[in-house]
Amino acid sequence: MSNWIENAVFYHIYPLGFCGAPVKNDFQSEPVERLLKILDWIDHFKSMGINALYLGPVFESAEHGYDTVNYFTVDRRLGTNETLKRVVMELHNNGIKVVLDAVFNHTGRDFFAFKNLQHYGESSIYKEWFYGLDFNNRSPLNDPFDYHTWDGHYNLVKFNLNNPDTSEHLFEAVKMWVGEFNIDGLRLDAAADLTEGFMQNLSTLTKELKKNFWLMGEVVHGDYNIWANKNTLQSTTNYECYKGLYSSFNDTNMHEIAYALKRQSGSGGVYKNIRLYNFLDNHDVDRIASSLHNRTHLFPLHILLFTMPGIPSIYYGSEWGITGHKGGYNDMALRPSLDLDSMYKENSDDLKSVIT
């Protein structure tokens, strides 16, 4: 029996934006089942041949989902655990696999172990859970200690994944996600910053939990073989070709993408044995319709996306060629709430027909 990923066509949704959730979590409101909106889009997914859905962060967080507070509870702005269970079940009933975003490199400042550290300082039983603690200095947010972060963002506290208790907490969450929600894979946020040992142990665990469970890592730079190999992950994001795809069309010179594809998958290609995750845009970069100088290039560009080696993915809304620019530290323009009926009424289906 073949692995489902061999024929996967992904649709990528950033749930908090897609569902129109409040920007910040008050941690008091009753859950609102906004995630059920996905069910209204299933026929749309199927009309394009989508058979796999990658959902951005869905677990309780303070703001954007990558500042996780509770790895075992669905964000109240999206619903409850039962909401997610229902969504996954309905997607499965329609032949669509589900991959969740896993944020394991860092956590939010409202995470229970970090709150304990703030209260007890060097006496905290959780001080080994976090990386780079320095009790001789204060953090920029006036904590009585400094700590390492993701990319200098102090609301994203870096985990110490060499600590067995930290890793076990996250692995228990994965067991729960597979057991309760029956998910089919994980996209590992900031995979380039995860330890090799953590990824190896995660790979071993998921292979035991579910056959053909898929692990894909977010990697921007470097040799993808470091992360995608028989001991760790099955795939990574293909940022090398992401850049080459749109810039080759903008420059009306296909050398860049041709070189990248030959290097990756040609004779002696460095990634011939890896199905890389290909995309034209996502929740972190400008919409492809905004990146291109000539909008008509959307059509041949999508044909190339679906014919090049690897796994194709469409970011929600880009099947209509919607625009959006990254704005400094604010990515809201890239993560809008969309109404399906309005999208059909206000946009041409020409590009969608090419994807189909």
Side-chain angles (χ1 to χ4, degrees), residues 261-287:
L261 289 174
K262 184 177 181 180
R263 191 184 86 87
Q264 290 187 354
S265 304
S267 177
V270 293
Y271 305 136
K272 284 189 71 172
N273 297 320
I274 304 174
R275 290 181 181 273
L276 295 173
Y277 182 85
N278 300 324
F279 60 95
L280 301 176
D281 50 12
N282 61 34
H283 63 298
D284 285 329
V285 300
D286 287 352
R287 290 278 182 171

mmCIF file of all heavy atoms in Angstrom, residues 261-287:
data_model
loop_
_atom_site.group_PDB
_atom_site.id
_atom_site.type_symbol
_atom_site.label_atom_id
_atom_site.label_comp_id
_atom_site.label_asym_id
_atom_site.label_seq_id
_atom_site.Cartn_x
_atom_site.Cartn_y
_atom_site.Cartn_z
ATOM 1 N N LEU A 261 16.138 23.429 -9.831
ATOM 2 C CA LEU A 261 15.486 22.137 -10.057
ATOM 3 C C LEU A 261 16.495 21.071 -10.471
ATOM 4 O O LEU A 261 16.406 19.913 -10.035
ATOM 5 C CB LEU A 261 14.398 22.283 -11.119
ATOM 6 C CG LEU A 261 13.148 23.059 -10.680
ATOM 7 C CD1 LEU A 261 12.210 23.277 -11.857
ATOM 8 C CD2 LEU A 261 12.423 22.333 -9.551
ATOM 9 N N LYS A 262 17.461 21.457 -11.319
ATOM 10 C CA LYS A 262 18.479 20.495 -11.732
ATOM 11 C C LYS A 262 19.356 20.105 -10.545
ATOM 12 O O LYS A 262 19.698 18.927 -10.366
ATOM 13 C CB LYS A 262 19.338 21.087 -12.847
ATOM 14 C CG LYS A 262 20.365 20.116 -13.397
ATOM 15 C CD LYS A 262 21.152 20.728 -14.556
ATOM 16 C CE LYS A 262 22.172 19.714 -15.104
ATOM 17 N NZ LYS A 262 22.942 20.291 -16.237
ATOM 18 N N ARG A 263 19.708 21.085 -9.725
ATOM 19 C CA ARG A 263 20.541 20.813 -8.550
ATOM 20 C C ARG A 263 19.826 19.896 -7.568
ATOM 21 O O ARG A 263 20.418 18.991 -6.973
ATOM 22 C CB ARG A 263 20.916 22.124 -7.856
ATOM 23 C CG ARG A 263 21.977 21.995 -6.778
ATOM 24 C CD ARG A 263 22.207 23.315 -6.077
ATOM 25 N NE ARG A 263 21.254 23.492 -4.993
ATOM 26 C CZ ARG A 263 21.451 23.026 -3.750
ATOM 27 N NH1 ARG A 263 22.537 22.339 -3.469
ATOM 28 N NH2 ARG A 263 20.561 23.247 -2.814
ATOM 29 N N GLN A 264 18.524 20.117 -7.427
ATOM 30 C CA GLN A 264 17.760 19.345 -6.462
ATOM 31 C C GLN A 264 17.383 17.953 -6.963
ATOM 32 O O GLN A 264 17.516 16.965 -6.235
ATOM 33 C CB GLN A 264 16.471 20.095 -6.089
ATOM 34 C CG GLN A 264 16.684 21.343 -5.266
ATOM 35 C CD GLN A 264 15.374 21.947 -4.781
ATOM 36 O OE1 GLN A 264 14.282 21.499 -5.156
ATOM 37 N NE2 GLN A 264 15.463 22.956 -3.947
ATOM 38 N N SER A 265 16.895 17.874 -8.213
ATOM 39 C CA SER A 265 16.262 16.639 -8.673
ATOM 40 C C SER A 265 16.789 16.087 -9.987
ATOM 41 O O SER A 265 16.279 15.080 -10.488
ATOM 42 C CB SER A 265 14.748 16.877 -8.805
ATOM 43 O OG SER A 265 14.199 17.343 -7.593
ATOM 44 N N GLY A 266 17.775 16.743 -10.564
ATOM 45 C CA GLY A 266 18.340 16.249 -11.814
ATOM 46 C C GLY A 266 19.251 15.061 -11.582
ATOM 47 O O GLY A 266 19.286 14.474 -10.489
ATOM 48 N N SER A 267 19.997 14.689 -12.596
ATOM 49 C CA SER A 267 20.945 13.586 -12.461
ATOM 50 C C SER A 267 21.946 13.900 -11.347
ATOM 51 O O SER A 267 22.626 14.920 -11.383
ATOM 52 C CB SER A 267 21.691 13.377 -13.786
ATOM 53 O OG SER A 267 22.652 12.364 -13.666
ATOM 54 N N GLY A 268 21.971 13.054 -10.349
ATOM 55 C CA GLY A 268 22.837 13.309 -9.204
ATOM 56 C C GLY A 268 22.306 14.381 -8.283
ATOM 57 O O GLY A 268 23.051 14.930 -7.450
ATOM 58 N N GLY A 269 21.016 14.712 -8.400
ATOM 59 C CA GLY A 269 20.412 15.770 -7.587
ATOM 60 C C GLY A 269 20.558 15.527 -6.093
ATOM 61 O O GLY A 269 20.433 14.401 -5.610
ATOM 62 N N VAL A 270 20.800 16.611 -5.354
ATOM 63 C CA VAL A 270 21.078 16.482 -3.917
ATOM 64 C C VAL A 270 19.844 16.110 -3.105
ATOM 65 O O VAL A 270 19.959 15.642 -1.969
ATOM 66 C CB VAL A 270 21.702 17.779 -3.366
ATOM 67 C CG1 VAL A 270 23.080 18.008 -3.958
ATOM 68 C CG2 VAL A 270 20.785 18.982 -3.619
ATOM 69 N N TYR A 271 18.637 16.315 -3.676
ATOM 70 C CA TYR A 271 17.413 15.984 -2.946
ATOM 71 C C TYR A 271 16.529 15.005 -3.720
ATOM 72 O O TYR A 271 15.306 14.983 -3.553
ATOM 73 C CB TYR A 271 16.605 17.257 -2.647
ATOM 74 C CG TYR A 271 17.390 18.318 -1.911
ATOM 75 C CD1 TYR A 271 17.321 19.663 -2.290
ATOM 76 C CD2 TYR A 271 18.214 17.994 -0.834
ATOM 77 C CE1 TYR A 271 18.040 20.638 -1.628
ATOM 78 C CE2 TYR A 271 18.945 18.960 -0.163
ATOM 79 C CZ TYR A 271 18.857 20.282 -0.565
ATOM 80 O OH TYR A 271 19.573 21.242 0.098
ATOM 81 N N LYS A 272 17.139 14.184 -4.549
ATOM 82 C CA LYS A 272 16.368 13.261 -5.380
ATOM 83 C C LYS A 272 15.515 12.308 -4.543
ATOM 84 O O LYS A 272 14.476 11.836 -5.005
ATOM 85 C CB LYS A 272 17.307 12.448 -6.279
ATOM 86 C CG LYS A 272 17.848 13.218 -7.464
ATOM 87 C CD LYS A 272 18.590 12.331 -8.425
ATOM 88 C CE LYS A 272 17.633 11.419 -9.168
ATOM 89 N NZ LYS A 272 18.306 10.675 -10.257
ATOM 90 N N ASN A 273 15.946 12.038 -3.324
ATOM 91 C CA ASN A 273 15.235 11.075 -2.485
ATOM 92 C C ASN A 273 14.304 11.730 -1.475
ATOM 93 O O ASN A 273 13.793 11.068 -0.572
ATOM 94 C CB ASN A 273 16.249 10.183 -1.760
ATOM 95 C CG ASN A 273 17.089 9.360 -2.719
ATOM 96 O OD1 ASN A 273 16.577 8.850 -3.715
ATOM 97 N ND2 ASN A 273 18.377 9.253 -2.433
ATOM 98 N N ILE A 274 14.090 13.033 -1.625
ATOM 99 C CA ILE A 274 13.216 13.761 -0.690
ATOM 100 C C ILE A 274 12.080 14.417 -1.463
ATOM 101 O O ILE A 274 12.318 15.095 -2.470
ATOM 102 C CB ILE A 274 14.001 14.854 0.072
ATOM 103 C CG1 ILE A 274 15.210 14.259 0.792
ATOM 104 C CG2 ILE A 274 13.085 15.563 1.070
ATOM 105 C CD1 ILE A 274 16.100 15.307 1.439
ATOM 106 N N ARG A 275 10.862 14.232 -0.983
ATOM 107 C CA ARG A 275 9.727 14.964 -1.550
ATOM 108 C C ARG A 275 9.599 16.276 -0.790
ATOM 109 O O ARG A 275 9.000 16.333 0.285
ATOM 110 C CB ARG A 275 8.434 14.146 -1.423
ATOM 111 C CG ARG A 275 8.381 12.914 -2.313
ATOM 112 C CD ARG A 275 7.058 12.178 -2.138
ATOM 113 N NE ARG A 275 7.003 10.991 -2.963
ATOM 114 C CZ ARG A 275 6.600 10.968 -4.223
ATOM 115 N NH1 ARG A 275 6.205 12.089 -4.795
ATOM 116 N NH2 ARG A 275 6.597 9.842 -4.900
ATOM 117 N N LEU A 276 10.179 17.327 -1.354
ATOM 118 C CA LEU A 276 10.147 18.630 -0.696
ATOM 119 C C LEU A 276 8.764 19.261 -0.806
ATOM 120 O O LEU A 276 8.002 18.993 -1.743
ATOM 121 C CB LEU A 276 11.198 19.554 -1.315
ATOM 122 C CG LEU A 276 12.652 19.128 -1.115
ATOM 123 C CD1 LEU A 276 13.581 20.037 -1.910
ATOM 124 C CD2 LEU A 276 13.027 19.141 0.362
ATOM 125 N N TYR A 277 8.454 20.113 0.157
ATOM 126 C CA TYR A 277 7.159 20.795 0.221
ATOM 127 C C TYR A 277 7.268 22.109 -0.544
ATOM 128 O O TYR A 277 7.914 23.057 -0.101
ATOM 129 C CB TYR A 277 6.798 21.030 1.692
ATOM 130 C CG TYR A 277 5.467 21.687 1.947
ATOM 131 C CD1 TYR A 277 4.285 20.939 2.004
ATOM 132 C CD2 TYR A 277 5.384 23.059 2.184
ATOM 133 C CE1 TYR A 277 3.074 21.534 2.275
ATOM 134 C CE2 TYR A 277 4.158 23.663 2.455
ATOM 135 C CZ TYR A 277 3.022 22.895 2.497
ATOM 136 O OH TYR A 277 1.808 23.497 2.777
ATOM 137 N N ASN A 278 6.623 22.151 -1.717
ATOM 138 C CA ASN A 278 6.726 23.305 -2.614
ATOM 139 C C ASN A 278 5.561 24.267 -2.421
ATOM 140 O O ASN A 278 4.419 23.842 -2.247
ATOM 141 C CB ASN A 278 6.753 22.829 -4.068
ATOM 142 C CG ASN A 278 7.921 21.905 -4.358
ATOM 143 O OD1 ASN A 278 9.009 22.074 -3.816
ATOM 144 N ND2 ASN A 278 7.700 20.908 -5.220
ATOM 145 N N PHE A 279 5.846 25.547 -2.519
ATOM 146 C CA PHE A 279 4.818 26.567 -2.303
ATOM 147 C C PHE A 279 5.200 27.849 -3.024
ATOM 148 O O PHE A 279 6.372 28.083 -3.331
ATOM 149 C CB PHE A 279 4.654 26.843 -0.802
ATOM 150 C CG PHE A 279 5.928 27.334 -0.145
ATOM 151 C CD1 PHE A 279 6.156 28.688 0.020
ATOM 152 C CD2 PHE A 279 6.898 26.433 0.278
ATOM 153 C CE1 PHE A 279 7.331 29.150 0.604
ATOM 154 C CE2 PHE A 279 8.089 26.878 0.858
ATOM 155 C CZ PHE A 279 8.302 28.236 1.023
ATOM 156 N N LEU A 280 4.200 28.675 -3.287
ATOM 157 C CA LEU A 280 4.423 29.980 -3.908
ATOM 158 C C LEU A 280 4.291 31.116 -2.901
ATOM 159 O O LEU A 280 4.781 32.221 -3.133
ATOM 160 C CB LEU A 280 3.437 30.191 -5.063
ATOM 161 C CG LEU A 280 3.510 29.161 -6.187
ATOM 162 C CD1 LEU A 280 2.418 29.427 -7.226
ATOM 163 C CD2 LEU A 280 4.881 29.182 -6.850
ATOM 164 N N ASP A 281 3.581 30.851 -1.817
ATOM 165 C CA ASP A 281 3.446 31.819 -0.734
ATOM 166 C C ASP A 281 2.961 31.080 0.504
ATOM 167 O O ASP A 281 2.566 29.916 0.448
ATOM 168 C CB ASP A 281 2.515 32.987 -1.106
ATOM 169 C CG ASP A 281 1.174 32.542 -1.689
ATOM 170 O OD1 ASP A 281 0.847 31.338 -1.616
ATOM 171 O OD2 ASP A 281 0.437 33.393 -2.220
ATOM 172 N N ASN A 282 2.982 31.771 1.636
ATOM 173 C CA ASN A 282 2.485 31.194 2.882
ATOM 174 C C ASN A 282 2.188 32.315 3.870
ATOM 175 O O ASN A 282 2.140 33.490 3.480
ATOM 176 C CB ASN A 282 3.475 30.164 3.456
ATOM 177 C CG ASN A 282 4.841 30.748 3.783
ATOM 178 O OD1 ASN A 282 4.966 31.906 4.184
ATOM 179 N ND2 ASN A 282 5.882 29.935 3.617
ATOM 180 N N HIS A 283 2.017 31.976 5.136
ATOM 181 C CA HIS A 283 1.610 32.958 6.140
ATOM 182 C C HIS A 283 2.727 33.899 6.561
ATOM 183 O O HIS A 283 2.492 34.831 7.333
ATOM 184 C CB HIS A 283 1.081 32.229 7.380
ATOM 185 C CG HIS A 283 2.116 31.375 8.062
ATOM 186 N ND1 HIS A 283 2.726 30.317 7.441
ATOM 187 C CD2 HIS A 283 2.655 31.429 9.306
ATOM 188 C CE1 HIS A 283 3.578 29.750 8.266
ATOM 189 N NE2 HIS A 283 3.564 30.413 9.397
ATOM 190 N N ASP A 284 3.951 33.662 6.059
ATOM 191 C CA ASP A 284 5.103 34.471 6.455
ATOM 192 C C ASP A 284 5.665 35.350 5.351
ATOM 193 O O ASP A 284 6.542 36.178 5.620
ATOM 194 C CB ASP A 284 6.238 33.552 6.943
ATOM 195 C CG ASP A 284 5.985 32.970 8.324
ATOM 196 O OD1 ASP A 284 5.330 33.638 9.140
ATOM 197 O OD2 ASP A 284 6.449 31.847 8.579
ATOM 198 N N VAL A 285 5.215 35.167 4.115
ATOM 199 C CA VAL A 285 5.799 35.905 2.993
ATOM 200 C C VAL A 285 4.694 36.563 2.162
ATOM 201 O O VAL A 285 3.522 36.191 2.264
ATOM 202 C CB VAL A 285 6.634 34.974 2.090
ATOM 203 C CG1 VAL A 285 7.778 34.348 2.886
ATOM 204 C CG2 VAL A 285 5.777 33.882 1.458
ATOM 205 N N ASP A 286 5.074 37.517 1.332
ATOM 206 C CA ASP A 286 4.103 38.203 0.479
ATOM 207 C C ASP A 286 3.304 37.210 -0.362
ATOM 208 O O ASP A 286 3.826 36.169 -0.796
ATOM 209 C CB ASP A 286 4.820 39.164 -0.469
ATOM 210 C CG ASP A 286 5.350 40.393 0.237
ATOM 211 O OD1 ASP A 286 5.044 40.592 1.430
ATOM 212 O OD2 ASP A 286 6.100 41.152 -0.416
ATOM 213 N N ARG A 287 2.044 37.527 -0.606
ATOM 214 C CA ARG A 287 1.236 36.730 -1.521
ATOM 215 C C ARG A 287 1.903 36.710 -2.891
ATOM 216 O O ARG A 287 2.481 37.708 -3.335
ATOM 217 C CB ARG A 287 -0.169 37.330 -1.649
ATOM 218 C CG ARG A 287 -1.030 37.190 -0.397
ATOM 219 C CD ARG A 287 -1.653 35.818 -0.338
ATOM 220 N NE ARG A 287 -2.512 35.678 0.838
ATOM 221 C CZ ARG A 287 -3.315 34.645 1.047
ATOM 222 N NH1 ARG A 287 -3.395 33.683 0.142
ATOM 223 N NH2 ARG A 287 -4.050 34.571 2.145
#
